[in-house]
Every structure is written in C-alpha cells, then in structure tokens.
Amino acid sequence: VVIGGDAGGMSAASQARRRRADLEIVAFERGDYTSYSACGIPYWVGGVVDSRDRLIARTPEVHRERFDIDVRLRHEVEGIDLDKRTVAVGGTNEPFDHLVIATGAVPIRPDLPGIDAEGIYGIQTLNDGEAVRRALDEDRPQRAVVVGGGYIGLEMAEAFVNRGLQVALVDLNPQPMSTLDADMGALVADALEEIGVELHRNERVEGFETRDGRLTAVATSEHTFPADIVVLGLGSRPNSALARDAGIGVGVTGGIRTDLRMRTDAEHVWAAGDCVETFHRISRRAVAFALGTHANKQGRVAGINIGGGYATFRGVVGTAVSKICSVEVARTGLGEQEAERAGFDPVTVSVESSTRAGYFPGAAPITVKMIAERRSGRLLGAQIVGKEGAAKRIDVVATALWNEMTVHEIEGMDLSYAPPFSPVWDPVLIAARKAAEAVEQT
Ligand SMILES: Cc1cc2nc3c(=O)[nH]c(=O)nc-3n(C[C@H](O)[C@H](O)[C@H](O)COP(=O)(O)OP(=O)(O)OC[C@H]3O[C@@H](n4cnc5c(N)ncnc54)[C@H](O)[C@@H]3O)c2cc1C
C-alpha cells in the first residue's frame, strides 16, 4: 500500500512492480492527479507551459494499465494501524504487507487574522496550482501579494507578472531567497525589480483584511496592500502527522526518520520524499529539504528494496537551482552562516566573471561565491547567480562537494572550454583559485 500518488509514492510503486510482478499494489491519493510535476506549476500558471496535462508524467490510467497499480484517487488515508497492518481509508481498513508513506509536505500557513479568507493560496499540489489558475482565469485579479521570498514565492511572483498582475512581495528577511547568502540574494532582488515586482524587505505580514469572507488587503508591519490574490511562499514542513500518530519515529526536523534503505523504525513501513528527513553530508545533521530530485530517488530506493533488491539513499549536499526572472540561481552545500553553525571556520570568496568568452556574443555577468574551510581548504559550499550558465555549473561544484574535495584540487580540475561556453578560466575555477589563496592566508 502506498500513501501519496506523486513523486515519492509512485516511484516506489513502479520500482517495486518492476521487480515483483506478483505484488498487489494499491496507491491512495487524496487529490485528483498522480505523478505530476509540482515544479512546473509556476510555469503553467504564468503561461510558459500551455496545459496542465503537460505537467502530468503518468496518469492513473497509465499506472493501472501499464504497471498494474491500483490507483485510487480522492482517497485520503486517515490512520495507520501498525499492529493490525492496515490503513484506514474511506470507512474501510486496507491491509498491507509493506506500506510506503509518501505524503509530501504541507505549506506553512501562519495563524494570522483572515488567513482562511477566499483568495489566499498555498502551493503544494497540482490541485493547489489548479485553484490559482482558475482564480486568475475566472476572477481576473489585478493585484497580487506574495508572502515570503523563497524560490516558490519568487517563481509565482514572476508568473503573476507574466499574467499582467501588479505584484508586491513581502519578506521578513533582508533579501529574498534566504537560502542564499544576503549578498547573492541582492542579485536576485535586482532581477525581480527589473520586471516590476515591488519588493518589501524586512517587513512582517500581520494579517489579511476581508469583506464577506474574501480577501481585500494584506496588512504588514509597515503598510496595507490592497490585494485580490495572495500566494503564501513561506516554505513547507514534512507532512508526517499520519506517521507520528501511528507511533512511527519522526526526527527533530519534523520529517519521518528512515535508514539508508528508506525503512522507518516500524517493520515493513517505508517512507520517501518531502515527508522524510535526510542526512546532510557536509553539516552532518538531519535536514528536511522538500525537493523533487530527492523524492524521486528516495521512492526508487524504497521500491527497489520492497521488490527484493538492494538500494540506498546516501544523503544530500543541499543542491538546488531555480530561474528567477532573468537570472539563474544555484546553490550547493552550506552558506557562510550555515557553515559557522555547523562548526566550521569558513572563508568565503566571490568572483564576478562572464558566462562566455568576453568577446563572444551573449557573454553575460555571472557571480560565483565559494565557501571553504580555513586552512584545510575543504570545499563547504557555493552559490552562483548569473544570466545563464549558473544552474548547471553548480553540478560540477556539487560533485566536488559530494567527494569532499578541497578548493586546491578543484582549482586544477580539467573543466571544458570553448568561447561560446565559458572564458578560458571557467568562473568555477577562478573562484576555487581565489578560495585556495584565501584559505592559506590565515
Ligand atoms: C511550486 C513548486 C515548485 C517546485 N519546484 C521544484 C524544483 O524546481 N526542483 C525540485 O527538485 N523540487 C521542486 N519542488 C518540490 C517538489 O515538487 C517536491 O519535492 C515533490 O513533489 C515531492 O514529492 P512527494 O511525492 O514527496 O510529495 P508530493 O509531490 O507533495 O506528493 C504527496 C502526495 O500525497 C498526497 N497525500 C498526502 N496525504 C495523503 C493522505 N493522507 N492520503 C492520500 N494522499 C495523501 C498529496 O495529495 C500529494 O499528491 C517544487 C514544489 C512546488 C510546490
């Protein structure tokens, strides 16, 4: 039995099926869709992707017909009984030999006056995306306020601009995108302002004004913004309540604890995706990162193991990319303060370079920040913001980080060069060289 019909759950189900034709697999999904790309929601809302169906990788019919998985939509699992090995769903108890919990995350919804008003949306599932899209098409809102400057909030702000709305973004932090250090976040802020997003930093949302149950304005510590639609971009937390209520171990992050093979501490119960916590290979701490890349891998690992194979998920280094307006934004590892909190003595360098050879048409600025451990030179993290070439350059750095390389080793790496792709010294190599000099200076 699988709870949750998206990345984590359906990866587990299809991998188990590949190895065990005899398994009876039932997947419960409380929403209307399976195997969809929540990551594509801002692009569909903003009109970059023209149809909702393009976000659906596998429909329930495909799961049923091609993989013999009994998908039951609009079925919410309400409880897990570990002793009886059943889940409670739709007034009946469904028995299981193996259970996969892949319930995703819940968007954070602060307990503020007016929060339940019509017109305020969190974005987590395709059903949520559909609700926003319907509101834009039917109610024709003019003014949007995005609360919170995480990457989902920023992608939604851009989507609203694309749809012709006037957009204000309110964030408690000094810069949007607080997963980056503030100096790098400032570059993202510039890109947002360039397309007309009104940014309000260091400002706290205190409540929502309403008329007849409908949103009319957002009240902050400094202003009152008239608003027809609000999107909450305040992050999410693991949706682990079902597991916790059943007595399954949940860690300090609120995510379900698993071992390397995605087994929970309850026999025959597995978990994958945004609902679990995982191990950060650099800080060596438990973290809960809601990312599709992890959900797919973890689901696959659980499914292979359920099917009788052997697979492990060996943690994360905190790699993430997004495109915010005109800039690509990427990070991996620890930021400056995160490195300090993890107990390292970090040295940071920033370099400004070019995405292609300076003379080559289309060459654009790119900023690379690298964080390394003082003296040892061990790479701890990197952040890149640039018009192009930021996103995938981070993967080189993530690979180095995964393998615990030093900036001295990276500096000499054989990275490719031709004028349309980079200057002769790739910006990553320049940053590593500067970092190698800096770690030796003290
Ligand atoms: C707008 C947006 C953009 C994103 N962009 C990126 C990106 O660019 N890159 C990236 O790596 N990640 C991105 N993500 C994150 C990524 O979508 C998630 O990490 C991924 O979907 C997690 O998969 P999951 O299966 O763990 O959870 P989910 O996709 O949330 O699926 C969980 C499913 O479980 C169902 N469910 C929950 N409880 C129950 C229950 N009790 N009974 C039955 N069903 C239940 C839910 O309805 C849901 O369909 C983005 C997310 C959003 C919202």
Side-chain angles (χ1 to χ4, degrees):
V1 165
V2 173
I3 314 175
D6 194 24
M10 298 321 286
S11 299
S14 49
Q15 285 301 324
R17 164 62 70 235
R18 269 177 221 272
R19 281 162 185 79
R20 289 270 310 271
D22 62 311
L23 274 182
E24 209 182 298
I25 305 178
V26 185
F28 293 108
E29 166 55 51
R30 68 180 170 199
D32 297 317
Y33 306 100
T34 52
S35 302
Y36 50 88
S37 169
C39 317
I41 292 171
Y43 304 104
W44 173 48
V45 169
V48 176
V49 173
D50 59 5
S51 120
R52 178 202 59 205
D53 292 349
R54 294 174 72 94
L55 302 187
I56 301 171
R58 279 185 195 159
T59 60
E61 292 72 36
V62 170
H63 284 297
R64 284 186 201 116
E65 284 155 25
R66 213 178 310 148
F67 297 93
D68 189 23
I69 297 168
D70 178 4
V71 174
R72 302 197 200 156
L73 295 181
R74 294 174 283 281
H75 277 67
E76 177 158 7
V77 172
E78 283 151 3
I80 301 168
D81 188 326
L82 291 176
D83 295 330
K84 294 191 181 132
R85 288 219 194 146
T86 56
V87 297
V89 52
T92 60
N93 291 317
E94 185 78 24
F96 64 81
D97 297 314
H98 288 278
L99 177 67
V100 178
I101 306 174
T103 43
V106 232
I108 290 168
R109 248 186 129 78
D111 189 16
L112 293 172
I115 186 80
D116 294 323
E118 209 184 310
I120 302 178
Y121 300 89
I123 307 276
Q124 186 63 34
T125 63
L126 193 49
N127 281 94
D128 297 333
E130 200 164 36
V132 171
R133 178 78 205 216
R134 199 178 313 118
L136 291 185
D137 293 342
E138 290 173 9
D139 305 340
R140 304 260 160 208
Q142 308 283 310
R143 290 160 306 191
V145 175
V146 174
V147 180
Y151 80 95
I152 293 178
L154 301 187
E155 288 175 1
M156 289 304 295
E158 183 177 0
F160 285 147
V161 171
N162 286 348
R163 292 291 300 262
L165 277 77
Q166 204 181 309
V167 184
L169 188 132
V170 184
D171 195 2
L172 192 56
N173 294 301
Q175 293 296 349
M177 202 90 185
S178 60
T179 49
L180 297 179
D181 292 338
D183 52 339
M184 298 298 274
L187 303 174
V188 180
D190 293 344
L192 284 160
E193 282 175 336
E194 240 170 57
I195 64 159
V197 174
E198 202 185 291
L199 274 185
H200 295 273
R201 291 163 263 218
N202 301 309
E203 211 165 311
R204 177 190 297 277
V205 170
E206 297 188 331
F208 302 93
E209 296 180 6
T210 61
R211 193 180 317 115
D212 301 330
R214 239 212 101 74
L215 166 83
T216 55
V218 180
T220 74
S221 44
E222 318 282 324
H223 300 93
T224 299
F225 300 106
D228 307 314
I229 187 166
V230 161
V231 159
L232 302 174
L234 295 165
S236 62
R237 55 183 172 73
N239 186 8
S240 55
L242 265 183
R244 183 187 279 117
D245 292 349
I248 296 165
V250 167
V252 284
T253 64
I256 301 169
R257 272 202 308 261
T258 69
D259 65 9
L260 287 178
R261 297 181 72 184
M262 306 313 297
R263 284 182 291 220
T264 69
D265 59 8
E267 220 183 331
H268 301 298
V269 181
W270 310 73
D274 290 358
C275 62
V276 307
E277 71 175 23
T278 187
F279 173 68
H280 196 296
R281 293 169 65 104
I282 313 301
S283 69
R284 310 200 74 76
R285 290 185 178 159
V287 288
F289 289 152
L291 285 173
T293 172
H294 308 324
N296 279 287
K297 291 184 190 114
Q298 291 168 343
R300 183 169 190 277
V301 165
I304 290 172
N305 289 317
I306 291 168
Y310 179 82
T312 56
F313 182 81
R314 291 178 180 269
V316 302
V317 292
T319 311
V321 290
S322 37
K323 190 182 153 295
I324 308 294
C325 312
S326 61
V327 290
E328 295 179 3
V329 179
R331 57 154 290 155
T332 189
L334 305 175
E336 206 171 332
Q337 285 167 14
E338 288 168 332
E340 278 165 8
R341 280 199 296 273
F344 292 105
D345 183 0
V347 170
T348 66
V349 293
S350 283
V351 300
E352 278 171 29
S353 180
S354 168
T355 55
R356 307 172 184 207
Y359 57 81
F360 200 87
I366 182 168
T367 306
V368 180
K369 179 168 184 174
M370 210 169 255
I371 297 121
E373 187 181 22
R374 197 179 299 280
R375 298 212 177 89
S376 80
R378 180 182 168 193
L379 176 69
L380 298 175
Q383 300 172 14
I384 310 182
V385 178
K387 295 257 180 210
E388 64 169 12
K392 282 299 167 183
R393 271 190 173 98
I394 205 74
D395 286 343
V396 172
V397 190
T399 308
L401 198 57
W402 186 274
N403 289 294
E404 301 193 5
M405 290 174 73
T406 64
V407 284
H408 306 85
E409 288 167 323
I410 300 168
E411 177 191 0
M413 260 171 26
D414 179 14
L415 301 190
S416 59
Y417 158 66
F421 303 107
S422 72
V424 68
W425 282 95
D426 189 272
V428 165
L429 293 179
I430 305 174
R433 191 175 67 213
K434 288 243 156 106
E437 286 161 13
V439 295
E440 278 161 16
Q441 276 163 12
T442 42

